Amino acid sequence: MQVTMTVNGTEVTRDVEPRLLLVHFLRDTLRLTGTHWGCDTSNCGTCVVLVDGEPVKSCTALAAMTDGHDVRTVEGMARNGTLDPVQQGFMEEHGLQCGFCTPGMMLTARALLDRNPDPDEGEIREAISGQICRCTGYATIVRSVQWAAAHPAAATTEQEVTT
Amino acid sequence: MQVPAPFDYVRATSVGNTLELLERHGPESRVVAGGHSLLPMMKLRLARPEWLIDINDVAELRHITEEPDRLRVGSLTRHAALLASDVVGRLFPIVHDAEKVIADPVVRNRGTIGGSLGQADPAEDLTTVCDVLRASVVIAGPGGERVVDMAEFHRGPYETACEQHELITEVRFPIRPRMGSAYEKVERRVGDWAVGAAGAAVQMADDGTIADAAIGLTALGLEGLATEVAAVLVGQRPSEDLITEAGRLAAAASSPVEDQRGPVDYKRHLADELTRRVLRRALDRVGATVPAA
């Protein structure tokens, strides 16, 4: 069947099997491997992407079910070469160790801040409670989100990151 | 890598269209909404539908409507929407108690009330909530609609009154005056199934006695309401002794099984302790103070 959706602002159309999971559509069909694929059972949350702005576990959604919707992955967080404040927060506060949970954590944080620009620590911990960091780096993840909340207009260019 | 077996996929546009599609594709078709029970089962081949009928576009199934004597909740209402609803929290705080501990916030963005009740997992929370609130379920079928109470709807683990060719369309909660309700669950970690949980709803009479009470347990081996508990509560004034007796009777009514979440005696202890807690909180929420023992 044919699916058409907007991924990171670009409309894409592909022929897929109805059983293709969204996570594999993103990773294998579109080669957007920033979305990680973990437990396959909607427990770990590393596959979280935003569908119409809301965090969704993409291992438990079909590409077919996402037809006609708007998807945002970690590749779509930076805009025009400028990092999202959440991404910058994860740099400033060392929000990642191995990095496996990071894409999902950052997208959930982005959705939280879109809804609640000034969350307290409890609200941040609640928002990410469906996601697992097996490095157990939760304290720095929370601080990274707090950094992003405190710097909503932070603007680091990708150029500055790499140099 | 877990991938479902092949199937065909179709999107329904309305309740009528869903029923037509169920009829057309027959017993090997399944309705999918949030997909957080069905898709994992399909990955494990515990379910192997040939047709998946996606009802996520059926807007008529997505509503929270307050009427003078009842609250109508469309079956496609997401857990997150129930939790975000001020009306739900005001009328039935037990729903918010439960929703806060159902799965995790990301899963709650997708999972629906109709899906939870329809899946009828024995450790699922909303069945107990609907039991104690004396909710009813609207089921649409080829011959029209029928409304069933929870005792009729919930037949046991993974089994409900909703037949293959039918669709759960709505859950109705009666609004009763002077009513308090509460739910509490013990879970090992966020998103896990309950080790055990209890729900309570009480309605007070003008004279300060309990006019109606309903106690239910989740994952503790009790189907439906703990009628023995309600029987000792009704007609009585709230007291510590009464709450203690209710907890004791709830534990006696439970018949938990030992599993990786805990041994029988611990789960029985939970039935007792959680019943006392939710009863006390439900009374507190309706302003029925419990005098110190």
Side-chain angles (χ1 to χ4, degrees):
Chain A
M1 65 178 287
Q2 196 172 70
V3 295
T4 299
M5 66 187 84
T6 305
V7 179
N8 299 328
T10 304
E11 189 176 286
V12 297
T13 299
R14 294 287 189 280
D15 275 315
V16 300
E17 267 194 278
R19 63 172 169 163
L20 183 66
L21 299 166
L22 179 59
V23 64
H24 301 309
F25 177 74
L26 295 169
R27 287 178 54 85
D28 302 339
T29 309
L30 301 184
R31 303 303 296 166
L32 292 171
T33 52
T35 299
H36 289 168
W37 168 48
C39 72
D40 234 342
T41 56
S42 73
N43 280 290
C44 81
T46 194
C47 67
V48 165
V49 300
L50 302 187
V51 177
D52 301 331
E54 284 193 337
V56 166
K57 294 183 176 178
S58 63
C59 74
T60 310
L62 300 169
M65 294 169 79
T66 321
D67 181 36
H69 292 270
D70 181 85
V71 178
R72 194 171 169 198
T73 71
V74 68
E75 288 93 341
M77 287 192 83
R79 301 268 166 118
N80 302 317
T82 301
L83 289 186
D84 187 284
V86 170
Q87 292 175 299
Q88 195 174 342
F90 272 68
M91 282 171 47
E92 301 286 343
E93 298 293 340
H94 310 286
L96 64 155
Q97 294 178 53
C98 84
F100 192 69
C101 71
T102 311
M105 289 287 184
M106 292 200 303
L107 286 161
T108 298
R110 178 71 271 150
L112 169 67
L113 295 177
D114 286 346
R115 194 175 71 245
N116 176 4
D118 187 25
D120 61 30
E121 181 179 341
E123 289 167 331
I124 295 170
R125 286 186 178 271
E126 162 71 10
I128 62 169
S129 62
Q131 286 156 265
I132 294 170
C133 167
R134 271 307 72 138
C135 306
T136 68
Y138 297 104
T140 53
I141 291 170
V142 170
R143 281 204 291 274
S144 302
V145 182
Q146 287 170 325
W147 190 97
H151 301 83
T156 300
T157 64
E158 289 178 302
Q159 188 74 29
E160 286 166 336
V161 175
T162 49
T163 53
Chain B
M1 179 160 136
Q2 296 184 13
V3 173
F7 55 85
D8 284 309
Y9 170 92
V10 59
R11 269 194 202 183
T13 54
S14 65
V15 170
N17 179 234
T18 307
L19 296 173
E20 283 165 20
L21 289 165
L22 281 166
E23 182 80 29
R24 186 183 314 159
H25 298 303
E28 298 310 317
S29 60
R30 290 283 181 283
V31 165
V32 66
H36 276 62
S37 297
L38 183 56
L39 292 178
M41 287 175 68
M42 289 168 63
K43 288 176 173 184
L44 297 171
R45 304 298 189 271
L46 295 171
R48 204 165 171 170
E50 290 171 9
W51 279 89
L52 216 51
I53 302 167
D54 183 346
I55 59 166
N56 281 290
D57 288 348
V58 183
E60 64 194 285
L61 295 175
R62 200 164 40 220
H63 56 266
I64 297 175
T65 310
E66 183 182 5
E67 294 179 349
D69 59 347
R70 64 184 180 180
L71 183 76
R72 297 193 294 116
V73 176
S75 59
L76 191 58
T77 305
R78 313 275 176 201
H79 295 299
L82 282 167
L83 193 48
S85 164
D86 293 336
V87 173
V88 170
R90 171 169 52 79
L91 292 172
F92 307 113
I94 184 175
V95 177
H96 278 192
D97 290 347
E99 285 293 355
K100 281 177 195 155
V101 291
I102 290 175
D104 64 59
V106 179
V107 171
R108 291 198 293 265
N109 283 338
R110 296 296 297 164
T112 64
I113 184 172
S116 288
L117 294 179
Q119 176 71 8
D121 188 288
E124 185 277 317
D125 302 284
L126 289 184
T127 298
T128 301
V129 169
C130 289
D131 276 341
V132 302
L133 292 178
R134 304 194 193 284
S136 51
V137 180
V138 183
I139 300 172
E145 237 179 43
R146 60 199 175 104
V147 183
V148 297
D149 63 22
M150 281 302 292
E152 188 182 343
F153 175 78
H154 186 86
R155 292 187 176 161
Y158 309 107
E159 199 183 340
T160 74
C162 184
E163 302 291 343
Q164 161 63 30
H165 56 284
E166 295 181 312
L167 181 70
I168 300 168
T169 56
E170 191 171 273
V171 184
R172 292 178 180 166
F173 298 94
I175 299 173
R176 296 180 287 160
R178 290 182 298 283
M179 202 185 89
S181 61
Y183 190 78
E184 187 165 332
K185 171 158 92 173
V186 169
E187 57 183 356
R188 296 179 303 176
R189 57 177 184 271
V190 170
D192 195 13
W193 295 109
V195 179
V202 291
Q203 188 177 14
M204 302 305 291
D206 288 336
D207 65 0
T209 60
I210 297 170
D212 185 35
I215 305 288
L217 302 173
T218 303
L220 293 171
L222 174 76
E223 290 287 342
L225 295 170
T227 48
E228 311 88 324
V229 184
V232 300
L233 293 169
V234 170
Q236 303 297 312
R237 281 175 199 285
S239 70
E240 282 300 330
D241 284 347
L242 193 64
I243 290 172
T244 302
E245 179 65 359
R248 191 186 69 76
L249 288 171
S254 72
S255 57
V257 292
E258 179 172 341
D259 60 14
Q260 76 272 26
R261 291 185 176 82
V264 168
D265 58 347
Y266 173 61
K267 292 186 178 186
R268 227 184 260 288
H269 162 75
L270 284 183
D272 179 354
E273 175 66 30
L274 293 177
T275 295
R276 285 187 280 131
R277 286 187 198 177
V278 291
L279 189 53
R280 190 176 281 113
R281 196 178 322 136
L283 287 164
D284 189 52
R285 281 173 170 167
V286 72
T289 46
V290 180

